Amino acid sequence: MAWLLQKRQCQEKQEKVGSEESMPQTPPFSAMFDSSGYNRNLYQSAEDSCGGLYYHDNNLLSGSLEALIQHLVPNVDYYPDRTYIFTFLLSSRLFMHPYELMAKVCHLCVEHQRLSDPDSDKNQMRKIAPKILQLLTEWTETFPYDFRDERMMRNLKDLAHRIASGEETYRKNVQQMMQCLIRKLAALSQYEEVLAKISSTSTDRLTVLKTKPQSIQRDIITVCNDPYTLAQQLTHIELERLNYIGPEEFVQAFVQKGPLDNDKSCYSERKKTRNLEAYVEWFNRLSYLVATEICMPVKKKHRARMIEYFIDVARECFNIGNFNSLMAIISGMNMSPVSRLKKTWAKVKTAKFDILEHQMDPSSNFYNYRTALRGAAQRSLTAHSSREKIVIPFFSLLIKDIYFLNEGCANRLPNGHVNFEKFWELAKQVSEFMTWKQVECPFERDRKILQYLITVPVFSEDALYLASYESEGPENHIEKDRWKSLRSSLLGRV
């Protein structure tokens, strides 16, 4: 695999790296794994001298956990490549808790560089301090949620204090790093509070209709009659929620259920975040909202108009590169209570819908969708505007791909080494997502539309079936029995 971390030849071991006093610069995520493969020119890298790392054709394939940790820590002559930093910080949590890794990193930094010795060579300090600070900056910027753990924050502050006691430049850089981290953690807390408030006030639409029918007199078309505007507002929600998902949450997602490969699961403690789950819940909500809006109208022509409206919204989502909303809308329209409305669908011009369904066809492992996604990703790389940069993947499929990658390969090799070849591939997939989630939404926000999309009550599955049967009566005995049962249980009627 061309993009793998390349082992440097032995003679490069002597090269001095980053000896300048300025901080090493962090390249953007898109530069980490470039289209031609692994970007080899980000930082010069030396062969690890502590042993325990296995290379093949200049690629790092495996190593003992201890050797991999050593490889993460910079010294006077060496700074780890950013691809390695990201890959190891992402995957190491399968083997140890982040606070344990941070403690080891701090210990190695102090031990190797004699930061604790006030008489240590100032020149040596000038060479190493920016590198250690850069490593800490990369960790806090890319995995900020790790620092919700007080033990992490304590170690970070301790090591940062040692660096800051050197020169004024380092003090400013440390202060900047800490302020940026605190801002990110405060933003996350605020976002979680908003989600919790929405969740606590959500009500089933049927309950609201029975108790306060006058409170739901609008439908989505009266709130936003332009499908292009609605697609843009959906993109706002998608990008906001994507932005809060930390890369480590993909790893958390498949270590939650228990240890893998006899390794102690380091997430037996309470999870620090649930942004990934909140995003999946948003997909389900959008599907149910689409089905609710279609099943609600009493008149057939109004239901048909609603279907055509959502087809136009979905088509614009496709054009924008918002594949998650597109799939949620198609899922909502394919739910049984909607798809059974044959008289309604007979009034719909379905040619556009057929094209969209073809694009998201699950056959051949979503081949058509994956082709469209690659096209959007390519457009994003060469984009001249924010709009062209938007790539919002069908998220459930992304999680599934990462899950199967994890399940298909062991974390450790028979000799006990960490299977780093697997984690390069994992990091490659997650880093692409990291690029996409950082795009700023170019469309103007409409608070009224956003409020409706996020908070309007939707039908439960049973209520959708009931509304569907009320609109177009049951076609067989099974449907008739279900209709009677639902009328009895939901409406208290026989």
Side-chain angles (χ1 to χ4, degrees):
M1 288 176 280
W3 51 269
L4 287 173
L5 176 64
Q6 187 181 50
K7 186 184 92 172
R8 304 295 171 180
Q9 298 306 314
C10 293
Q11 63 266 27
E12 286 186 21
K13 196 169 165 184
Q14 302 306 316
E15 290 183 359
K16 303 295 181 189
V17 183
S19 57
E20 65 277 4
E21 291 179 31
S22 63
M23 293 281 288
Q25 292 303 300
T26 303
F29 264 98
S30 54
M32 281 178 59
F33 299 94
D34 67 10
S35 56
S36 63
Y38 162 71
N39 190 323
R40 293 178 177 80
N41 302 311
L42 302 181
Y43 296 115
Q44 295 182 51
S45 168
E47 182 181 352
D48 199 295
S49 59
C50 70
L53 295 180
Y54 173 70
Y55 295 90
H56 181 67
D57 290 341
N58 293 332
N59 298 326
L60 174 60
L61 298 186
S62 69
S64 68
L65 190 57
E66 204 56 45
L68 292 167
I69 294 169
Q70 292 268 3
H71 200 54
L72 179 71
V73 179
N75 59 41
V76 175
D77 302 324
Y78 166 74
Y79 188 82
D81 194 284
R82 194 187 182 210
T83 48
Y84 179 78
I85 295 171
F86 177 72
T87 304
F88 186 68
L89 291 180
L90 180 70
S91 57
S92 62
R93 59 201 69 233
L94 283 167
F95 307 99
M96 63 197 303
H97 199 285
Y99 82 83
E100 295 172 315
L101 177 61
M102 174 60 97
K104 281 180 177 286
V105 167
C106 290
H107 175 73
L108 286 170
C109 286
V110 173
E111 187 185 62
H112 290 181
Q113 317 314 332
R114 294 180 294 132
L115 291 181
S116 53
D117 180 2
D119 300 322
S120 63
D121 179 15
K122 278 281 173 76
N123 191 40
Q124 176 134 328
M125 178 69 168
R126 254 204 278 318
K127 289 177 181 177
I128 187 60
K131 293 178 182 176
I132 295 172
L133 190 49
Q134 176 64 10
L135 178 65
L136 296 178
T137 301
E138 297 215 23
W139 197 334
T140 56
E141 282 182 357
T142 314
F143 299 91
Y145 305 161
D146 284 352
F147 296 88
R148 282 187 137 183
D149 188 322
E150 288 173 15
R151 295 164 295 192
M152 287 288 290
M153 197 59 103
R154 218 169 22 244
N155 276 322
L156 175 67
K157 285 177 177 174
D158 179 53
L159 188 53
H161 176 71
R162 291 177 187 275
I163 295 168
S165 60
E167 293 188 15
E168 181 61 30
T169 317
Y170 307 148
R171 269 198 291 280
K172 283 181 183 171
N173 286 331
V174 165
Q175 196 178 15
Q176 194 178 358
M177 175 186 74
M178 295 303 293
Q179 284 173 347
C180 184
L181 174 61
I182 288 161
R183 268 200 307 273
K184 284 190 176 185
L185 294 179
L188 174 64
S189 296
Q190 198 176 359
Y191 170 68
E192 286 174 337
E193 284 171 21
V194 170
L195 288 186
K197 190 176 177 185
I198 292 166
S199 179
S200 66
T201 55
S202 67
T203 325
D204 175 61
R205 193 179 185 109
L206 189 64
T207 309
V208 178
L209 281 172
K210 286 196 287 186
T211 54
K212 296 179 184 173
Q214 72 284 355
S215 67
I216 306 183
Q217 292 178 333
R218 299 178 303 167
D219 63 17
I220 199 160
I221 295 177
T222 60
V223 175
C224 175
N225 64 5
D226 178 24
Y228 298 99
T229 303
L230 192 79
Q232 292 174 0
Q233 298 311 303
L234 287 172
T235 304
H236 260 296
I237 296 171
E238 298 280 355
L239 284 173
E240 181 187 44
R241 299 203 172 192
L242 268 189
N243 188 48
Y244 281 101
I245 297 171
E248 74 284 353
E249 293 189 58
F250 291 100
V251 177
Q252 275 177 210
F254 52 67
V255 297
Q256 272 305 299
K257 291 176 185 174
L260 298 171
D261 297 342
N262 299 319
D263 282 310
K264 175 186 68 174
S265 175
C266 57
Y267 280 93
S268 53
E269 297 182 28
R270 188 176 66 81
K271 280 173 64 182
K272 298 286 182 285
T273 51
R274 61 176 308 278
N275 303 312
L276 191 144
E277 291 88 339
Y279 190 50
V280 173
E281 286 163 12
W282 154 248
F283 178 95
N284 295 336
R285 174 184 162 75
L286 180 54
S287 295
Y288 272 84
L289 175 61
V290 169
T292 299
E293 295 283 352
I294 293 169
C295 290
M296 269 295 293
V298 176
K299 292 188 176 177
K300 191 165 45 185
K301 66 177 182 181
H302 291 159
R303 292 195 297 274
R305 179 182 169 220
M306 191 63 79
I307 290 173
E308 288 182 341
Y309 172 82
F310 276 117
I311 290 171
D312 287 338
V313 174
R315 191 168 66 156
E316 183 58 16
C317 285
F318 179 84
N319 293 336
I320 289 170
N322 179 357
F323 298 105
N324 203 54
S325 288
L326 164 64
M327 194 51 143
I329 292 168
I330 290 174
S331 298
M333 293 169 85
N334 280 330
M335 287 173 78
S336 296
V338 177
S339 62
R340 66 168 295 280
L341 298 171
K342 294 185 176 64
K343 293 172 187 172
T344 303
W345 281 96
K347 288 189 163 293
V348 174
K349 295 170 187 167
T350 57
K352 287 186 284 188
F353 184 61
D354 294 341
I355 292 168
L356 291 172
E357 277 207 303
H358 176 71
Q359 286 292 349
M360 304 307 279
D361 181 1
S363 61
S364 303
N365 193 18
F366 286 90
Y367 176 80
N368 295 340
Y369 158 70
R370 292 182 192 278
T371 304
L373 181 68
R374 277 198 302 276
Q378 197 56 44
R379 177 184 72 179
S380 180
L381 286 173
T382 57
H384 298 294
S385 68
S386 296
R387 182 180 169 128
E388 291 175 329
K389 285 182 184 172
I390 297 170
V391 183
I392 302 170
F394 171 32
F395 197 66
S396 296
L397 189 61
L398 176 64
I399 295 172
K400 187 177 163 190
D401 286 347
I402 291 172
Y403 174 81
F404 281 117
L405 168 63
N406 179 64
E407 289 294 300
C409 305
N411 290 336
R412 287 191 190 268
L413 301 177
N415 66 356
H417 270 200
V418 171
N419 180 6
F420 217 71
E421 192 172 13
K422 166 184 174 172
F423 295 123
W424 285 123
E425 188 59 48
L426 174 66
K428 187 185 178 188
Q429 290 197 19
V430 177
S431 69
E432 192 168 36
F433 163 81
M434 292 291 285
T435 306
W436 297 336
K437 85 178 190 116
Q438 289 168 359
V439 173
E440 283 189 31
C441 191
F443 309 119
E444 196 176 328
R445 289 173 70 90
D446 187 311
R447 289 187 66 182
K448 184 184 67 171
I449 299 169
L450 290 171
Q451 179 79 1
Y452 185 90
L453 288 168
I454 291 167
T455 63
V456 74
V458 298
F459 279 153
S460 64
E461 188 175 7
D462 281 348
L464 280 173
Y465 270 108
L466 178 60
S468 179
Y469 293 141
E470 296 285 336
S471 297
E472 294 187 21
E475 292 188 350
N476 53 50
H477 288 301
I478 295 169
E479 286 193 346
K480 202 165 189 177
D481 289 344
R482 186 167 192 189
W483 184 31
K484 283 179 184 175
S485 170
L486 290 171
R487 281 176 72 90
S488 173
S489 60
L490 297 179
L491 300 178
R493 296 179 193 161
V494 177

